[in-house]
Every structure is written in C-alpha cells, then in structure tokens.
Amino acid sequence: MKRTRIVWLVLALLMVGTLIWAGGGKEAASDDSGAVVLRYTSLRTEDQERENSKNAEFTKLFPNIKIQFEAIKDTEYDTVLKTSLETGVAADIVMLRSFDGGRQIYDGGYLVELNDIIPGMHDTFTANSIATWATEDGVMYGVPYFGSITGVWYNIDIFNKYGLKEPETWAEFIAICEKLKNAGETVFAHGTKDQWAITETLYCDLGPNFYGGEDSRQKLMAKEIKYTDPKFVKAYEKIGELVKYFPSGYQGIDYVTMQQMFLNEQAAMFIAGSWELGIIRDAEVNAGWFPPPVEKKGDPLHYAFYADLALGINKNTEHMEEAIEFLKWVASPDHAKLLANALPGMFPTLKIHYDIDDALALEIIESTQMSHVVPTGQLMWEKLSLEEPSGETLQNEAVQRFLNGTFTAKQAVEYVQKGLDTWYFK
Amino acid sequence: MIRTRKRRYYLLLYLAPAAILYAVFMLIPILQSLRYSLFTGRGLVPDEFVGFDNYVKLFTQFPFRDRFINVLKNNFYYFALVMVFQNAFGFVLAILITRKIKGSKQFKTLFFIPTALSAVIVGFIFKLVLNPVWGIFNIALKSLGLEVLIRSWLGDPTIALPVLAIVTAWHNIGIPVIFFTAGIDSISVDLVEASRIDGVSVWGEIRHIIIPILAPIIGIVTILTFVGNFSEFEIVYSMQSVYGNPEYSTDIFGALFYRTTFGSQVNSVNDVGLGATIASVMFIIIFLGVTLIQRFSKRRT
Amino acid sequence: MTHNTIKKITSKTLIYLVLILHSIMIIAPLLLMILSSLKKSRAIFQEPFGLPKPVHWGNFEKLFVQQNYLSYFANSIIVTLFALATIIVFASLASYAIGKYSFKGNAQVYTFFILGLMIPIRLGTINIMQMFITMDLFNKLLALVIVYAAMGIPAGIMILTGFIRDIPDELSDAARIDGCSETGIFIRIIVPLLSPAIVVAAVYNLMPIWNDFWFPLVLINKDQLSTIPLATARLFGKHETDFGLLYAILTAAAIPPIALFVGLSKYFIKGLTSGAVKG
C-alpha cells in the first residue's frame, strides 16, 4: 500500500516539475560568448551553408552579433511566417516575397518601416526593386535581397554530344528538342506536380515572349486587357508544344525531382531560375544557360528578371538595434558583392556596378543587358494576388491542368479570368 | 454508507478535472468553430460578424464552391475506396487468420505494424517509393517485366486518389483485422460446429453466422473509418501537398480546412472565418454520418 | 475422404498464400526503407534492391550529429509521457465516479465524455490555437501536453469505466466500514485493481499522441521544440535532395514506434478491442 502511494507521489512531482520545464524554456537570446544571436528566417533551404559563410563576414565586423539562419521549405514558409508573426515567435529578420506576398505581411502590421532607419537605399538599389517592397506612399518595409532571372539551363556535355547550339528562336529550340528526343535523351527535367514551379519556371519564364512581357503585365494590372486576351492564349499554346518532350510520368514529377534529374545529368535541359546556380556548382554539372527563345529573330526578348526576395525587420524583435545593424549591412554594396559571389545566381538589384566572379553567373546577368531585352516580372505577383481567389493560385491551377491535358488553352485563360472577375475585375 | 453531501463533494472532485480539461480544450473549441463561421476578418481572430456570408461564399461563389463540391466528392470516394481496400480486405484477412492456421498471432501482429507509424511518415515513404523517376515501385515493375503497368502514380488525376486510399489501407489495415478477429474469436465454437454438421458452406457460414454477429463491430469500424477519412490530412499533406495535387484530385476536407485557415504557398490569403465554416461543415457531415451508420448497423443486428 | 483432404490442403495453401503475400506487401516498403538508409544516395539509384555493401552509417551520423535528432526524440517522450499521465489520473478519477457512484445523470455524463470519440479534435483547432496564444503557451510543449490530454480523456474513460464496473462493490464497502476515507478507497483499493486497465488505456493513447502531426504543425514552429513527426516533415523538406538521408530520417522515426508496438502488442490489441467487443 505504501509503495503505491510513493509511486503516485513521485509521478505527481515529476509531472509538475516537467510541466514547469516544458512551459518555460525561454530561448537564450545570447550564446556563451555573450554575443546577441539574431534569428534570420528564409525559404531557401538550399542555402544553409552558403548563407552561414556569408553571414560570418558580418560577425567579423560586429563580433557581438551572430546570425542564426533558419530555413523553412518554400512551400511551408508563408504559413509558418504568418503564424509565427501573429503569435509573437517570429525571427528577428524575416525574408519577404515580392509584391503581394510581402505586402500582406506589412499590412498585417508586423514590419518595421525602413525609410529613416536605413538611409541611402535609393542610391544603392534600382527604383523598381525598392518599389517592390514599398507602399504607394513610398513607405519601405524591405531591403531588396536578390533578383532572379528565369531561363533555360542545359547540360553542355549532352549538347556537345549532338553538336547543339544555344537556340535563339522558338523554332531552333523545338528543333533541339526534337533532335534530343529522337536520339533517345530525356529532353527536359520537367514535371507538373508542383504548381508553383510550372508557373514560375514555365509560363512566366518562356511565356512572356508570346504574351507580350511587361507591357501586357502592366495592362492586365490596369485592367486594360483581360487574361482571356489572345496573347495569353498563345503563350499557353506555345508552352504546350513542349509537353511531348517531357519525361514519361511527368505529371508525377515534382520540383525536387526536376532539380535532381538535371543535377544527376539525367536530362538535357531544365527550365528554371538563376537561383539554381548554387546547387549546380555543388553538383559540378557542366551547365550552360540561355534566355527564353523569342518567336522570330529580331523580336524583343521579354526576359523575366525580377526582384524576388527582400529582408524585413520583425516589429516585435527584442534586438532592434542589432537587426538594424544587420539590414544596414545587407543594404550596403559590400554585401551585394559578397552575396553575388557566395550565392551565385542570386543577383543583388543594385544600381551600381558590382563584380561577379562566377563566369556563368556573369554570363546570365550580362544576357539581361543585351539591347533587345525588355525585363519583366512574374505575371500575378503584383496586385492580382491580394485577395482570394488569388491570381497566382488560379494561374497555378490553370497551367497544371493545361499541361496535363485537362484544359485547353482557352479553358485555362477563361478559368483564371472567371476567378479574377470575382474581385479584381469587379 | 457515505452521507450525501460528502458523496456529492467527492463526485465533483473526481469528475471535475477530466470534465474541465475535456470541455475547455475539446468540446468548446469545436463549438467555437461553429460561431466563428459567422465571422470574417484577417488574422487569427475573425471579428466582423457577417451572418451566413461565409456559407454563401462556400456554397455558391466561384471558385470556393467548386473546391467545396470537389472535396465533398473526393472525400466520399476516398471513404468508399478505403472501405473496400482496408475494411473489406481486412475482413477477408481476419477470416483467413481465424481459420485454424499456424502463426495466426504473428500475422495479426505483422499486419498491425504500419498502424504504429505516423501517417506523415507513411506518406513520405510512399512518396519516395512511387516517384516516377527513381521510385522503387516502378523499378520493381520493370525488373519483373511488367512495364505496361507503370503509371505516374501520384501525378495522374484519375488514379492519384485511389493510390492514396491504398496507402491509407496499407497503413491502417491492422485495425479492422484486430477488430474482426476479436469478433470472430468471440463466436462460440458450438455454433460454428453445429452449422458445419448441418453442411453449411464456408460462404454460408460467413453470411449467416459471422456477418450478423459482427454487425456491431462492422458498424464501429465503419464509424472509425468515416471519422478518420473525413478529417484526414496527413497523408495528402505528405504525398500531394496541401493543394491535393494533381489538379485537386486528392483534395479532401482536411487539406481544404488547413489551406483555407492557415494559408498556403506563394501569394495566397488565409481566411480563418472561411476555415471555421469548413470545420463546421465537416462537423455536420461527421455527425450525420456517424448517426446514420449507427442507425443502420443497429437495424442489422 | 481423399477428395476432402485435397480440398482442405489446397484451401490451406491458398490461405497461406494470401496471408504471406500481404505480409510481403507490408514488409517490403519498410525493409527497402531500412536498407536504403544504410546506403549512399548514389547506391540507392544504382542498386535499389541490393544489400548495402558496405553498410554506410553516414546518413545516421548526419542525422544524429548534425541535426540534433535526439532532442526531437526527447520532446516526443516528454509530451507523450505527461499527456498519458494526465489522461490516466484524470480519466481514472472520472471513471471511478461514473462506474461506482450512482447519481442522477450518470449515463449522460458518460455519453458526454464518449462523444469525444466521435468528433475529431482538430475541428476546434482555430480556437485551441487562440487559447494557447492568450495563455502564452504557443510554441511550448505544455500546449501539446494539454491538447493531447484532452484528446485522450474520452478513450481513457471508455476503457477504465468498463473495468471499474467489473470491480465488485463489496471490496470498497468493506473498506468504508473499516473507516477508510473516500480518497483512501480510491488509492488503496481501486487503483491497484485497476492497474492492468491503466496499462491498456495508456497504451491505447500512446500511438495517437506519439504519432500526431497536426498539432505540432499548428502549435509549434520552433525547430528545437519539434516532436518526431514534425521534425520528420521539416527535415524531409530541408534535405529533399539527399535520398540516403531521407531514408535515414524515415527509418529513425519509424523504428521506435514499431519496436514499442511489438513489445506492447498484447495491450494494444486489448485496448483496441475492449470497447468494441464489449459493445
């Protein structure tokens, strides 16, 4: 009898003890050396080591501040960021998506206004990239981190094997596909399982040359044209021509599988963004790059080169001074140089010139400076995705259904327009 | 005998902790979902009363209505498939195990092993196994000379949901097997012997003895499956993302609820009020379903 | 006679065939997962079905050394143990009241608790989350303990009430005459008699709690506080390109519950069926 009582007592004590322990657990905001640990959250899980080595340079300048890089998978990032800001447990420095994604966070009241805190941003960054994270009244809430370029990666060894050259026009592009397919190669590392990937790296990568690039994007935003415009239909039809060169079972191939196929040299081409250069270098693939093919020689090249991600400061951070110090550093040209070389393929959106060591990164950025280039951005990211059904969600679904063969091009654009009609075009 | 006042005091003392914890953290939150379904607002606490607007949106407005009807269809289809792959097949396995065979206990334990795993882990295992490029399953088919059977298991909208149902069945088949074997074992030997002497066939034995006696257990298994399937989330999340890929063909209530309430990927806006509305609809469906199944299985006994 | 024997043998063979085929279906994916976790990524592609040669422990090394995996494990253990303890204490008290005290509304109180078996707690997620935020328990393991305790009480009460009803009244009556207090009766008479049922109830709730993914996903977003299922998902997302490591992540998450189940399967099966077979 006595024994049971003791057991119960011990159990109860243990429970109370651990509950207190489990309930407490406030995080140590400084490490053993007494330095402040600044938490910085990102959606780039691929960059853990590259970020760490880059941010170590900051700690060299400010030995009392350490940067703790915490990456969350991109498909979960937005949910985690929103809830952690709302519940007061977010990191000190947060990564912001461009336009509506970042704007939602700012409108939620979670971000520090940077206009007075970080001076000189207008002298450093392009006006476009600043506007991506600013309100109509000019309130800035994000320091532009990097811009992305979308185009086509190719495996140089495979291209050489068949004597292929980088295509300039769509016809040349299709001819290459045909040749590779007939030779029994897997032409594209591409699938349709991840919706975001096929929009960002297919419709808004190869599509702009057919839907009219930036001009059409602006007109759509201004409601001067609708998504059912024949130009958008044509872009669908054009990217649809590539489906027959996709690997078998492409409907089940997700973005990670796409990356892996290209990195393992199992496919000749990979339609994606410049942000892949880091892992391509890690995997030591002999890769080349060409911009989205134009329809006819002499056409303007509508090239997606857009401010992609920025960093903001969590309003509720306990380390405001340190966070500001860090963002000041991020906004400096010195950081831009570091970033461009530590994270190749991510291009700081600077006004001023900066050196890039990586030859391919240099080639990519230089390709955007060709005379016939008209830069553009992602079609649905600005204004069109501020409410549900968001343009991005609708377009993602439409592109997937179209490429899987459940929608015709016409049905795809009508579907998206129908959704936008419920709020944007109302 | 204890005096009434003292008794009442003890009664309260004994019941209160469980009742309070259970009510505050389970019952009331579920009822709160019903209340929040009448509100809207950005952020976690919907504060603007809108009456039945959320329901109107969910039932009539494009594309919410389409998502909702799609989820409703998918979830019933998923439930029907799981009933077959998991429960009907589990029933067959239970009958086989309870024939006098060696190792019946070991089989039972073995069939239950996947049930010990978390659904997300099961989902991830099969996501790797069924990958179209290097998934082991297609490679195995190829090496067996069965190339014709190779499909894009997770990418073809017509088979993605059945594949999910099979994975669910793989995961949970231990439950019906254990329930049914326990039920069959409880049938008195005399009854079975008597029927055998009367020359009743195996089929007859199953139909006229086992099924009627098992009816309440079948009812319980059906209810468990129904409740589980109509709140399932993990398997879709891990294999097909919160979007119920491909083309929303595996979108079911759990995924829609999560996606709507907490938002999802790039440039989508979360709506807690609409999320609560979906939770309320789930509550009603589960409540009606359970009541119906209960009634039906009672009538059968 | 011979005809019948042949028929019996063929039917037995068929039975074994089906059972063994299904066993293979159960084991094969798990076995391949374990084998692959012991290979380098390249070997997984080149020889997916081969034995790992030599055995490559690097994936597990990465997981346990670099990823701090043991702390996730500790989180899961803490949450599960304390939730189970709470369930057992609270549910046995309530079951005692329901099973041994006849009072007005006894049946209704029982139904009130049993209702929880039919409604998935996740339908109340929004409010649960809000409550924990106001209680400052968001991102704390205690939040998980509380929510799992609430979730497990209905099943605990169902199992324990069934057992308590079977305990003869004479024992407690005798103790009462001997001058034993009400608390004394519960602790000295009921609890010892109930201990086998307590084990069953604990084991029954063990898996749903250990394996839950939904609540950590919603209530925990600090990496160090992840439980095993959430950590698995986060690690899976982070290392999607390292196949060897992925299989190691899954294996490390799968082995403990399997081992636990095989060890405790007797209680599991009892717990599962106790409600059902009793009706």
Side-chain angles (χ1 to χ4, degrees), chain A residues 191-193 249-254 257, chain B residues 130-132 152-156:
Chain A
T192 56
K193 191 163 178 243
Y250 68 91
Q251 302 100 323
I253 295 177
D254 57 9
T257 310
Chain B
L130 297 173
N131 183 298
S152 185
W153 300 106
L154 301 177
D156 182 342

Side-chain angles (χ1 to χ4, degrees), chain A residues 89-140:
Chain A
V89 297
D92 306 299
I93 303 287
V94 296
M95 190 169 265
L96 302 170
R97 298 211 192 246
S98 56
F99 295 115
D100 298 352
R103 185 60 186 268
Q104 271 189 53
I105 306 292
Y106 173 74
D107 286 346
Y110 301 119
L111 297 175
V112 174
E113 293 174 5
L114 303 175
N115 296 47
D116 303 327
I117 297 177
I118 303 187
M121 280 206 328
H122 283 290
D123 304 326
T124 326
F125 295 100
T126 61
N128 254 338
S129 64
I130 286 176
T132 306
W133 292 279
T135 65
E136 294 75 13
D137 313 330
V139 175
M140 295 185 274

Side-chain angles (χ1 to χ4, degrees), chain A residues 354-366:
Chain A
Y354 55 92
D355 293 319
I356 295 178
D357 297 336
D358 189 286
L360 190 49
L362 194 64
E363 188 195 317
I364 294 170
I365 191 77
E366 280 174 351

Side-chain angles (χ1 to χ4, degrees), chain C residues 78-110:
Chain C
I78 289 164
V79 168
T80 311
L81 278 187
F82 286 93
L84 286 182
T86 317
I87 292 169
I88 294 307
V89 175
F90 287 15
S92 46
L93 284 170
S95 303
Y96 179 55
I98 294 168
K100 283 293 162 205
Y101 284 65
S102 58
F103 59 95
K104 228 171 143 189
N106 184 309
Q108 281 78 0
V109 170
Y110 185 67

Side-chain angles (χ1 to χ4, degrees), chain A residues 72-296:
Chain A
I72 296 154
K73 186 171 154 56
D74 54 355
T75 50
E76 318 233 318
Y77 179 77
D78 303 75
T79 313
V80 174
L81 179 64
K82 270 182 218 163
T83 47
S84 58
L85 283 166
E86 193 144 3
T87 53
V89 297
D92 306 299
I93 303 287
V94 296
M95 190 169 265
L96 302 170
R97 298 211 192 246
S98 56
F99 295 115
D100 298 352
R103 185 60 186 268
Q104 271 189 53
I105 306 292
Y106 173 74
D107 286 346
Y110 301 119
L111 297 175
V112 174
E113 293 174 5
L114 303 175
N115 296 47
D116 303 327
I117 297 177
I118 303 187
M121 280 206 328
H122 283 290
D123 304 326
T124 326
F125 295 100
T126 61
N128 254 338
S129 64
I130 286 176
T132 306
W133 292 279
T135 65
E136 294 75 13
D137 313 330
V139 175
M140 295 185 274
Y141 50 83
V143 173
Y145 195 54
F146 66 78
S148 291
I149 303 168
T150 57
V152 183
W153 295 101
Y154 68 94
N155 186 309
I156 294 177
D157 296 337
I158 299 178
F159 264 46
N160 284 346
K161 192 171 155 195
Y162 300 99
L164 301 172
K165 277 198 327 228
E166 293 180 10
E168 268 177 60
T169 66
W170 190 259
E172 289 168 19
F173 185 43
I174 294 289
I176 287 174
C177 296
E178 195 61 33
K179 197 162 182 186
L180 286 166
K181 193 188 176 193
N182 291 337
E185 294 283 346
T186 303
V187 185
F188 289 110
H190 222 94
T192 56
K193 191 163 178 243
D194 275 340
Q195 294 184 337
W196 75 267
I198 44 178
T199 327
E200 195 169 339
T201 68
L202 200 58
Y203 191 76
C204 292
D205 178 342
L206 302 181
N209 277 332
F210 300 98
Y211 66 63
E214 187 64 10
D215 182 50
S216 295
R217 190 179 83 89
Q218 294 292 346
K219 279 185 178 152
L220 183 68
M221 249 189 322
K223 300 179 211 178
E224 284 166 26
I225 55 170
K226 288 192 162 190
Y227 196 75
T228 43
D229 192 277
K231 285 185 214 152
F232 292 113
V233 180
K234 188 176 178 190
Y236 273 94
E237 282 163 353
K238 282 293 176 187
I239 63 166
E241 289 175 14
L242 302 179
V243 172
K244 63 177 169 185
Y245 306 109
F246 285 179
S248 66
Y250 68 91
Q251 302 100 323
I253 295 177
D254 57 9
Y255 191 71
V256 180
T257 310
M258 288 157 57
Q259 287 176 321
Q260 284 297 298
M261 285 175 83
F262 188 72
L263 296 180
N264 283 322
E265 312 199 38
Q266 285 175 312
M269 288 183 275
F270 176 31
I271 308 162
S274 54
W275 60 80
E276 298 294 353
L277 187 54
I279 58 173
I280 284 175
R281 284 282 174 261
D282 290 348
E284 297 173 358
V285 180
N286 189 10
W289 167 277
F290 58 85
V294 294
E295 191 170 16
K296 301 185 302 289

